[in-house]
């Protein structure tokens, strides 16, 4: 690929960030619209229960998480621009279908189509970025902007969603993806150069099916357990399938020459730490947004607009802290922003563990502000650490692992925290939700503590040594690697 001018490289970065923005905002914009979606369909088509609302979120997130690694591999093999444009097309069509959905089934199906397209965007766009920015310092700054866009788009979702639902209706939250997706599609064809991995991996059907079975059966079992019973045959079969898929993934993938997931990379403490931190941090985010939406709109009777505007402190803090986190990673490494993220998200969740129907507004706003601060600090060090030292030729797969960790965490956060709280509700949502949510907020405190502990443990000299030993053994790494700057 010929060397691009600085202006062209920045334009490529902007186009890639456009795709990340619509995928990221779609993760969270739906939350604030859940009560409106519930009321838009009659009881026979929606059911009105919490598990139905969980599926509106997790149908998208689970499919996205299941296919991200495959999306990165496809970009490396078939051409990153081609796969990127295919993803934009599917995501835009899925968004249009969501806005026109006549029933819950159609909505969930369209959300899954969105996710198939989205799985071709994030990892492929990261592959485009790492192959466009060849200078290590310039690449580190570009990855910092990329990581900041993740936090910015996801934090903005509830605010934008509240405004759109309040002014136009729930379908409008999907309309905003259409012009952005079309613009990115046209610009990518005009300005993004085509690139492929010199030696792309072979497609791994067993590994892909195992990942789908693992995430799908685990999420289904957790979400449906409050209705079916945690010890019911349905729940036990789902959890057994998930366990079997995990064992099969570990056993078979460790013996494959070109596995879907390169398990040996998990011997790197920073890489493993980044994966677990992403799962924990985004589980907290998924649980936070889901519980907060139901609390504000079903318990406190806020409109969608007022509920969205209430989360404005979270969005503003994330917007401010995301680029700051990227600069901190570049100048001082990932430890400081990860420590700040764990402390702030933990403090926010602690403010909510005694939630009541009449909790003072100032306490809620302070909790939102602290969570936004912590979440804004989280993304840049996770992204940077995940691709640091990885062979540049496999950048798409490396970025896909980081993205998969985020989506897996969010899916599990909505599933686990939503189901635990639902199981504890006594007397209906309005009367019993606030008290039942206490255990959910404590789970989020645990997630934040995990971010803090791993942020310290996996960013020191010993951890960097494990990364050097693992990545120096990769054939591509002997020639070139993605540098953390």
């Amino acid at each position: 690929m010929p060397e691009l001018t600085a202006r062209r490289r920045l334009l490529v970065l902007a186009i890639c960030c456009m795709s990340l923005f619509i995928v990221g905002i779609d993760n969270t914009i739906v939350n604030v619209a859940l009560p409106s979606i519930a009321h838009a369909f009659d009881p026979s088509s929606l059911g009105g229960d919490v598990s139905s609302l969980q599926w509106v979120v997790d149908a998208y997130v689970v499919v996205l998480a299941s296919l991200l690694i495959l999306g990165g591999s496809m970009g490396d093999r078939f051409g990153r621009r081609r796969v990127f444009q295919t993803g934009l097309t599917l995501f835009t069509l899925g968004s249009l279908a969501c806005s026109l959905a006549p029933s819950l089934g159609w909505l969930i199906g369209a959300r899954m189509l969105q996710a198939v397209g989205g799985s071709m965007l994030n990892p492929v766009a990261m592959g485009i970025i790492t192959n466009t920015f060849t200078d290590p310092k310039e690449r580190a700054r570009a990855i910092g902007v990329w990581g900041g866009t993740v936090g910015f788009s996801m934090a903005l979702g509830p605010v934008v969603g509240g405004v759109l639902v309040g002014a136009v209706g729930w379908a409008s939250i999907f309309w905003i993806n259409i012009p952005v997706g079309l613009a990115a599609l046209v610009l990518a064809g005009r300005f993004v150069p085509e690139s492929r991995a010199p030696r792309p991996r072979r497609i791994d059907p067993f590994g892909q099916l195992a990942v789908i079975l693992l995430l799908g059966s685990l999420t289904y079992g957790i979400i449906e357990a409050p209705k079916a019973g945690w010890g019911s045959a349905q729940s036990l079969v789902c959890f057994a399938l998930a366990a079997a898929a995990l064992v099969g993934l570990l056993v078979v993938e460790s013996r494959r020459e070109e596995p879907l997931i390169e398990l040996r990379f998990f011997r790197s403490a920073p890489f493993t730490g980044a994966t677990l931190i992403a799962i924990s941090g985004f589980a907290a985010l998924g649980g936070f947004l889901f519980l907060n939406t139901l609390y504000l709109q079903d318990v406190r009777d806020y409109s969608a607009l007022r509920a969205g505007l209430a989360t404005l402190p979270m969005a503003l803090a994330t917007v401010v802290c995301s680029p700051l986190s990227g600069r901190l990673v570049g100048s001082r490494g990932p430890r400081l922003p990860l420590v700040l993220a764990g402390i702030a998200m933990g403090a926010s969740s602690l403010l909510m563990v005694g939630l009541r129907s009449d909790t003072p507004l100032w306490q809620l706003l302070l909790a939102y502000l602290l969570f936004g601060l912590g979440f804004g600090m989280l993304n840049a060090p996770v992204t940077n650490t995940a691709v640091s030292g990885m062979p540049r030729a496999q950048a798409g797969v490396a970025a896909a692992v980081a993205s998969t960790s985020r989506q897996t965490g969010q899916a599990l956060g909505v599933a686990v925290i939503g189901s635990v709280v639902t199981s504890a509700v006594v007397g209906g949502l309005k009367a019993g939700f606030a008290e039942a949510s206490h255990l959910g907020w404590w789970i989020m405190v645990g997630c934040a503590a995990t971010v803090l502990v791993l942020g310290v443990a996996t960013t020191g000299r010993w951890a960097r040594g494990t990364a050097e030993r693992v990545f120096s053994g990769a054939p591509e790494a002997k020639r070139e690697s993605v540098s953390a700057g």
Side-chain angles (χ1 to χ4, degrees):
M1 185 177 70
E3 183 71 20
L4 302 179
T5 64
R7 185 175 180 179
R8 178 81 174 271
R9 291 196 297 273
L10 291 176
L11 184 56
V12 170
L13 175 61
I15 295 168
C16 290
C17 286
M18 287 172 67
S19 74
L20 178 63
F21 179 83
I22 57 176
V23 173
I25 199 170
D26 221 69
N27 268 312
T28 58
I29 196 172
V30 172
N31 282 275
V32 76
L34 290 177
S36 297
I37 291 173
H39 295 140
F41 300 106
D42 60 44
S44 63
S45 65
L46 184 64
D49 60 328
V50 174
S51 66
S52 298
L53 301 181
Q54 287 173 283
W55 278 119
V56 173
V57 178
D58 268 3
Y60 174 85
V61 181
V62 170
V63 173
L64 190 62
S66 299
L67 298 179
L68 277 169
I69 297 178
L70 176 63
S73 297
M74 289 175 61
D76 289 340
R77 173 174 290 274
F78 299 114
R80 297 184 178 106
R81 183 179 67 185
R82 178 184 299 176
V83 174
F84 184 69
Q85 289 182 295
T86 302
L88 284 168
T89 301
L90 292 176
F91 189 88
T92 303
L93 289 174
S95 298
L96 178 62
C98 284
S99 69
L100 300 174
S103 67
L104 176 66
W106 280 99
L107 178 59
I108 291 176
R111 290 281 285 163
M112 294 171 74
L113 177 61
Q114 274 188 307
V116 173
S119 70
M120 301 180 189
L121 297 180
N122 285 15
V124 176
M126 176 59 84
I128 292 171
I129 290 171
T130 53
N131 281 272
T132 298
F133 294 87
T134 55
D135 177 73
K137 291 185 177 179
E138 195 176 50
R139 186 186 305 128
R141 288 194 293 270
I143 291 174
V145 172
W146 170 263
T149 304
V150 174
F152 171 74
S153 61
M154 296 187 75
L156 201 61
V159 178
V160 174
V163 173
L164 288 174
V165 172
V168 183
W170 68 267
S172 63
I173 65 174
F174 299 107
W175 294 345
I176 64 169
N177 297 328
I178 298 173
V180 179
L182 291 175
L185 180 64
V186 173
L187 291 172
R190 176 68 179 85
F191 296 107
V192 175
E194 186 61 282
S195 63
R196 293 178 175 83
R199 186 178 175 275
R201 298 185 181 199
R202 282 175 275 183
I203 302 298
D204 179 9
F206 176 84
Q208 184 58 64
L209 289 174
V211 169
I212 293 173
L213 181 61
L214 170 60
L215 294 179
S217 59
L218 180 61
T219 305
Y220 185 88
I222 293 172
I223 288 179
E224 298 299 326
K227 288 193 297 184
W230 289 93
S232 66
Q234 173 182 296
S235 300
L236 294 177
V237 168
C238 286
F239 298 145
L241 284 174
L246 177 60
V247 172
L249 195 65
L250 294 175
V251 172
V252 176
E253 295 295 281
S254 64
R255 299 175 181 175
R256 293 184 66 92
E257 183 178 345
E258 293 183 339
L260 179 74
I261 302 175
E262 189 68 76
L263 296 179
R264 68 187 177 89
F265 286 158
F266 286 93
R267 295 200 295 267
S268 160
F271 184 81
T272 301
T275 301
L276 295 176
I277 288 169
I279 291 174
S280 300
F282 276 75
L285 174 71
F288 190 97
L289 293 177
F290 190 79
L291 295 188
N292 187 62
T293 292
L294 296 181
Y295 171 71
L296 290 181
Q297 296 190 54
D298 287 336
V299 177
R300 295 183 74 120
D301 293 324
Y302 280 20
S303 66
L305 175 60
R306 189 178 178 188
L309 292 177
T311 63
L312 189 59
M314 175 182 168
L316 292 176
T318 302
V319 169
V320 171
C321 292
S322 291
L324 176 60
S325 175
R327 286 194 288 271
L328 285 174
V329 170
S331 61
R332 302 188 60 175
R335 173 174 288 184
L336 179 59
L338 287 175
V339 168
L340 292 174
I343 292 174
M345 293 171 75
S348 170
S349 300
L350 282 172
L351 282 171
M352 303 288 277
V353 295
L355 192 68
R356 307 185 311 274
S357 60
D358 60 349
T359 294
L361 181 60
W362 68 264
Q363 184 175 331
L364 298 178
L365 297 180
L366 178 59
Y368 301 158
L369 179 68
L370 287 171
F371 197 93
L373 189 157
F375 184 66
M377 285 289 170
L378 182 68
N379 279 288
V382 167
T383 303
N384 188 278
T385 304
V387 301
S388 177
M390 280 296 228
R392 214 175 91 198
Q394 304 297 340
V397 176
V401 173
S403 295
T404 298
S405 302
R406 291 187 178 97
Q407 304 304 330
T408 300
Q410 187 176 357
L412 291 177
V414 173
V416 173
I417 295 172
S419 294
V420 166
V421 171
T422 300
S423 299
V425 170
V426 177
L429 284 181
K430 188 170 184 64
F433 180 83
E435 183 176 353
S437 72
H438 295 175
L439 181 56
W441 298 113
W442 276 115
I443 293 175
M444 282 178 257
V445 172
C447 291
T450 302
V451 172
L452 175 61
V453 172
L454 290 178
V456 173
T458 62
T459 55
R461 182 177 301 175
W462 165 80
R464 288 192 296 270
T466 65
E468 291 170 2
R469 288 191 294 273
V470 171
F471 295 138
S472 64
E476 300 93 334
K478 295 178 181 178
R479 298 190 294 271
E480 60 180 355
S481 67
V482 178
S483 170

